[in-house]
Amino acid sequence: MSGPALEVRGLAKAFVLHVQGGVRLSVLDGVSLAVQAGECVVLADPSGAGKSTLLRSIYGNYLVRDGQVLIRHRERVVDMVGAPPRLMLDVRRHTLGYVSQFLRVIPRVPTEQVVAGTLRARGVEAGEALGRARAMLERLRIPERLWALSPVTFS
Amino acid sequence: MTIEHPSATVADRPLLSVRGLGKRYGAQIGCRDVGFDLWPGEVLGVVGESGSGKTTVLDCLSGRVAADGGQVTYTKADGSVVDLRRLDEAARRRLLRTEWGVVHQHAREGLRMNVSAGANVGERLMALGARHYGRVRGRALDWLARVEIGESRIDDLPETFSGGMQQRLQIARNLVTEPRLVLMDEPTGGLDVSVQARLLDLLRGLVEDLGLSAVIVTHDLAVARLLAHRLLVMRGGLVVESGLTDQVLDDPQHPYAQLLVSSVLQP
């Protein structure tokens, strides 16, 4: 199947802060972007330009009402804007990852189980998920002695 | 290029479907026009301040309180669909015993206080037909360990347990039969932080391994973030906002949802 893996068309995002007197902050307006499979795109702009807002809007972490976020998912194209939550969860589980500055995990859960958890959520059997998690941790050069510890202890 | 919004990719029917659910207590509104779908393997969080109607919704679902209006349909394990509000008492009780679990906010309401901890856990297994004493006791021990209750306490009465232990016992009693749907009212309320983390991990593991679905009422947004796929925010008996958990918490739209999120430290 051809076409970009991700295409953003005319994306706008504004925040209305009801708690602070209804101030309206327009952060994104008319943003368009296409990313092909195998391509790595860098968003480079000064702080406050809306880079994180764009990423969060694509992921559905921020609610978007204007524009389209088209993602190739399970052999078809899905518009994340206005998609039912269940479909968005399926896209996140199988197609779209998100690496944030902050890691939010259940306390006391070992690192290898945190990593395996995303596979288990996809229905991968526990033993296989753990094996693949360990292989990935090794690849990222996280020392094996830390795998059984909670990641909150990490740098 | 075709752009689709396929609403169903895995299961084609929600486990639980709620429409227009309402309950009044005299002139007081318990909840009004509450509606949502819960899909297999999905955890729905219901958040809001006390008096917002969260518990009323849960009580209407379990049948503990009779709703005034609305529809609650449930897809049973055998594939048949039942309207819970039209189910007779015997059939409703059978469903609660076999396919559902209900964890009450106050553990005493969900426990039998005059029988031992082991019997509390074993009882539901026996209600499902387990007869072998050794096996029932073994399963009970296993579940007590999973909620961090020591083996030496199996023959003690729940009365002798602390509040937090009673809550863990109630959860073990409900999950031992591996229900398809669990309704939980503030499941981690009143628990020590260390036990709360263990319980959150346990619940998440069950969701992943068993495809368990759950409706969890909580006032703790941090618990909601870690457990729930989707959130309903309630106020004054109404659902004022709903959506993906992280979206509702990180970009709330409704003024009340914004107030709720901005009022806590690090949800």
Side-chain angles (χ1 to χ4, degrees):
Chain A
M1 192 173 155
S2 59
L6 165 71
E7 188 174 4
V8 176
R9 292 181 185 166
L11 189 78
K13 177 61 189 169
F15 297 90
V16 179
L17 309 179
H18 294 286
V19 183
Q20 291 169 59
V23 175
R24 188 175 187 280
L25 297 174
S26 176
V27 179
L28 302 176
D29 192 17
V31 175
S32 297
L33 164 81
V35 181
Q36 307 298 325
E39 204 177 18
C40 176
V41 174
V42 173
L43 303 176
D45 252 326
S47 177
K51 304 182 297 293
S52 297
T53 299
L54 176 57
L55 280 191
R56 285 169 175 257
S57 298
I58 290 169
Y59 193 63
N61 178 230
Y62 285 167
L63 187 75
V64 175
R65 292 205 171 91
D66 302 311
Q68 287 180 310
V69 174
L70 308 175
I71 290 178
R72 210 155 75 202
H73 170 66
R74 294 185 187 269
E75 313 280 307
R76 64 190 170 206
V77 175
V78 167
D79 185 359
M80 291 286 273
V81 178
R86 206 162 95 83
L87 176 59
M88 294 177 80
L89 288 170
D90 195 59
V91 170
R92 286 179 176 191
R93 218 168 268 145
H94 293 274
T95 306
L96 187 63
Y98 187 91
V99 179
S100 86
Q101 283 172 272
F102 312 102
L103 180 67
R104 278 197 174 93
V105 290
I106 295 176
R108 290 171 65 198
V109 177
T111 294
E112 56 188 17
Q113 293 296 348
V114 169
V115 179
T118 52
L119 281 170
R120 288 174 65 205
R122 277 194 194 186
V124 175
E125 176 271 321
E128 190 200 331
L130 191 59
R132 285 167 64 181
R134 286 173 175 165
M136 184 51 78
L137 287 167
E138 194 160 5
R139 215 171 143 185
L140 294 171
R141 298 168 70 179
I142 293 171
E144 190 173 343
R145 62 194 158 80
L146 300 180
W147 296 355
L149 305 179
S150 165
V152 297
T153 61
F154 290 7
S155 64
Chain B
M1 181 168 59
T2 53
I3 297 163
E4 295 180 52
H5 269 170
S7 55
T9 42
V10 191
D12 54 0
R13 198 185 285 147
L15 190 67
L16 191 68
S17 191
V18 179
R19 294 290 178 271
L21 191 70
K23 172 68 187 172
R24 298 185 79 96
Y25 299 102
Q28 198 72 31
I29 291 172
C31 65
R32 202 174 76 199
D33 199 26
V34 173
F36 62 86
D37 286 331
L38 182 73
W39 296 85
E42 200 173 50
V43 177
L44 179 74
V46 185
V47 298
E49 61 201 5
S50 5
S52 61
K54 315 186 292 284
T55 298
T56 300
V57 169
L58 215 62
D59 286 347
C60 287
L61 295 179
S62 69
R64 192 179 188 219
V65 160
D68 303 328
Q71 205 183 23
V72 180
T73 51
Y74 172 73
T75 307
K76 289 170 58 174
D78 64 12
S80 63
V81 178
V82 290
D83 182 347
L84 289 174
R85 294 197 53 229
R86 292 170 196 280
L87 224 52
D88 66 56
E89 184 61 16
R92 191 182 66 80
R93 284 186 170 278
R94 199 175 321 120
L95 192 68
L96 279 173
R97 203 170 56 229
T98 55
E99 299 196 14
W100 289 29
V102 180
V103 175
H104 298 280
Q105 184 173 6
H106 303 292
R108 308 179 64 94
E109 294 173 32
L111 291 174
R112 292 228 341 238
M113 300 303 282
N114 56 349
V115 301
S116 71
N120 262 284
V121 179
E123 190 180 54
R124 271 182 65 115
L125 283 173
M126 301 210 284
L128 289 184
R131 286 292 173 266
H132 188 283
Y133 175 78
R135 271 200 290 272
V136 169
R137 193 177 166 92
R139 286 281 295 279
L141 271 175
D142 175 43
W143 270 92
L144 290 175
R146 286 169 87 165
V147 296
E148 299 182 353
I149 294 176
E151 188 173 343
S152 63
R153 304 300 302 268
I154 187 170
D155 295 318
D156 293 349
L157 293 176
E159 200 69 68
T160 66
F161 287 8
S162 69
M165 278 177 79
Q166 289 181 4
Q167 185 62 299
R168 283 177 274 148
L169 179 62
Q170 189 197 186
I171 287 165
R173 172 182 161 90
N174 269 279
L175 296 185
V176 67
T177 53
E178 301 183 354
R180 301 175 73 219
L181 172 65
V182 182
L183 307 177
M184 293 189 171
D185 194 355
E186 303 282 4
T188 57
L191 294 184
D192 295 337
V193 178
S194 60
V195 177
Q196 181 173 321
R198 179 86 184 81
L199 200 62
L200 288 171
D201 184 37
L202 176 70
L203 290 174
R204 201 144 81 167
L206 287 166
V207 169
E208 283 160 3
D209 295 343
L210 309 174
L212 183 77
S213 303
V215 180
I216 298 180
V217 161
T218 179
H219 71 278
D220 189 332
L221 299 183
V223 166
R225 189 189 283 274
L226 289 173
L227 278 185
H229 299 105
R230 286 189 300 125
L231 276 192
L232 302 181
V233 181
M234 291 194 68
R235 189 191 198 194
L238 293 170
V239 174
V240 296
E241 184 156 346
S242 68
L244 293 181
T245 298
D246 62 278
Q247 184 258 296
V248 171
L249 293 179
D250 294 337
D251 185 22
Q253 306 295 307
H254 188 274
Y256 174 70
Q258 290 190 358
L259 181 66
L260 190 71
V261 169
S262 66
S263 302
V264 294
L265 302 167
Q266 289 228 333

